[in-house]
């Protein structure tokens, strides 16, 4: 007879993971200011400043024991650093999210997403087949409103990160667990 310990009954340890661009403090502050501004127009619930990010690829629940393999996979991604100009507030009705996007997506960004997804797919991880819209979520549960022109936010992206997401009483808590530099 095999013994079934607590770890076994609880299933394998997993983390809810995603790859992201993570703003530096100055960019975070400007994004947060834009969030406050959009909130005045569209209402809803503002994302906390410390959670602001741009999701590159969402993995979802992943066994902890796959972390090293996943990191090795991400380390194969070769992409150049770039500047992303976020100048286009947008609203999605289906999930009531208000976000900040880019009217021009830099080719280096497209290459980064392509390289990351290709590496993940080759290693057997799930990849999103829907068209990717680069965006920073600023508002949740908003009804949106009149289109707004905003002061562009310039984000100098020099790295991408792997983030673990935990749902706490005060909302999502994100922890950056790995980082990879983009090529200068
Ligand atoms: P919560 O779901 O607890 O309200 P959250 O949506 O911020 O908070 P996660 O669901 O862990 O946290 O999502 C982390 C990031 O991945 C967010 O940027 C979210 O928009 C994005 N994301 C979540 N699910 C998917 C998905 N199925 N496909 C693409 N991106 C996703
Ligand atoms: Mg979510």
């Amino acid at each position: 007879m095999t013994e079934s310990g607590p770890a076994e009954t609880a299933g394998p340890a997993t983390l809810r993971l995603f790859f992201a661009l993570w703003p530096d403090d100055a960019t975070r502050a400007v994004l947060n200011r834009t969030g406050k501004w959009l909130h005045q127009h569209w209402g809803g619930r503002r994302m906390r400043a410390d959670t602001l990010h741009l999701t590159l690829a969402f993995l979802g629940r992943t066994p902890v024991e796959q972390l090293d393999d996943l990191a090795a996979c991400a380390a194969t991604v070769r992409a150049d650093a770039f500047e992303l100009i976020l100048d286009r507030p947008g609203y999605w009705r289906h999930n009531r999210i208000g976000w900040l996007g880019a009217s021009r997506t830099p080719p280096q960004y497209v290459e980064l997403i392509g390289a990351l997804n290709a590496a993940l797919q080759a290693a057997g991880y799930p990849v999103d087949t829907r068209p990717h819209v680069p965006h920073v979520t600023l508002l949740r549960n908003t009804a949106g409103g009149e289109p707004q022109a905003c002061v562009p936010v310039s984000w100098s992206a020099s790295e991408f990160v792997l983030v673990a997401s935990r749902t706490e009483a005060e909302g999502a808590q994100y922890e950056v667990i790995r980082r990879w530099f983009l090529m200068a």
Side-chain angles (χ1 to χ4, degrees):
M1 212 170 84
T2 55
E3 280 194 5
S4 172
E8 225 169 303
T9 41
T14 61
L15 288 171
R16 189 176 168 89
L17 298 176
F18 62 99
F19 287 98
L21 297 181
W22 206 248
D24 63 20
D25 289 348
T27 308
R28 181 175 300 286
V30 181
L31 287 169
N32 191 46
R33 203 186 308 151
T34 306
K36 285 182 182 164
W37 164 81
L38 195 61
H39 182 255
Q40 284 170 2
H41 291 283
W42 290 356
R45 176 168 58 84
R46 219 154 48 77
M47 297 292 291
R48 295 195 320 274
D50 62 290
T51 66
L52 296 170
H53 67 277
L54 189 153
T55 299
L56 296 171
F58 181 77
L59 290 159
R61 286 260 157 228
T62 308
V64 170
E65 63 191 32
Q66 285 177 21
L67 262 182
D68 286 343
D69 177 66
L70 187 59
C73 176
T76 66
V77 172
R78 294 274 171 272
D80 290 329
F82 55 89
E83 190 183 11
L84 184 63
I85 309 287
L86 295 165
D87 59 351
R88 191 168 69 96
Y91 167 66
W92 285 321
R93 190 188 299 258
H94 72 279
N95 53 12
R96 295 176 60 84
I97 278 175
W99 46 267
L100 188 61
S103 51
R104 271 195 66 259
T105 306
Q108 299 96 325
Y109 181 95
V110 177
E111 278 158 28
L112 171 60
I113 289 286
L116 183 57
N117 277 328
L120 291 172
Q121 189 158 33
Y125 291 96
V127 297
D128 206 339
T129 51
R130 298 171 305 177
H132 176 87
V133 180
H135 69 280
V136 177
T137 297
L138 297 176
L139 307 173
R140 300 277 188 159
N141 200 24
T142 173
E146 291 295 312
Q148 298 293 332
C150 81
V151 179
V153 176
S154 171
W155 183 338
S156 177
S158 56
E159 60 176 15
F160 69 99
V161 301
L162 181 64
V163 186
S165 163
R166 296 183 181 86
T167 306
E168 309 278 347
E170 60 273 36
Q173 296 287 341
Y174 300 136
E175 186 191 353
V176 173
I177 55 176
R178 306 279 171 105
R179 299 177 178 267
W180 297 269
F181 284 109
L182 299 171
M183 295 181 290

